[in-house]
Amino acid sequence: MNKNKFLTTCLLSGALLASQMANADENHPGYLAGFTSRVSQGFANTTFSFIEIPKNVVNITHDQNILLGSSWGLLRGVAHTVSRTVIGVAELIASPIPTDEFISPPYVWDRFSEDTRYFGLHYPGYWTHFGPLDHGYTDTLDHGK
């Protein structure tokens, strides 16, 4: 009986992988590529989420002033750290399921001067500052540029 369950599991897994590869196009990676990407994003976001604190302090200081950067930037950085950690755990849990991205930019060090967005939404009160290396991405907000 155990042998039949194992064989059935292997056949269903193979069919799932084959169907995902057959439907793949240039905009959507294959199942295995998407899975490994989600696992690496989840691990990195869980491990390195603390980088959100200096990121927000630096960005708000650059955009406003040092007083606002050291107070509001610290609070926002802590909030984004907790949020990125929770999203990282969710990405690790949901990595076998092909879904849209949870967080943008996917890694905290990508597009460092851009504000973190969740589930593709841009909430009121959030800024999006484009640094010299941040132009040319299709998922960034336009804001008249």
Side-chain angles (χ1 to χ4, degrees), residues 32-48 88 91-92 95 106-109:
L32 188 59
F35 172 75
T36 55
S37 173
R38 295 291 295 273
V39 168
S40 67
Q41 287 176 16
F43 178 73
N45 285 332
T46 304
T47 307
F48 299 110
E91 283 179 330
L92 284 172
S95 59
Y107 298 100
V108 69
W109 54 82

Side-chain angles (χ1 to χ4, degrees), residues 38-39 41-43 45-46 82-97 99-103 118-119:
R38 295 291 295 273
V39 168
Q41 287 176 16
F43 178 73
N45 285 332
T46 304
V82 171
S83 300
R84 192 173 280 272
T85 302
V86 169
I87 293 291
V89 170
E91 283 179 330
L92 284 172
I93 292 170
S95 59
I97 304 166
T99 59
D100 292 333
E101 68 177 19
F102 292 156
I103 193 166
Y118 304 97
F119 304 105

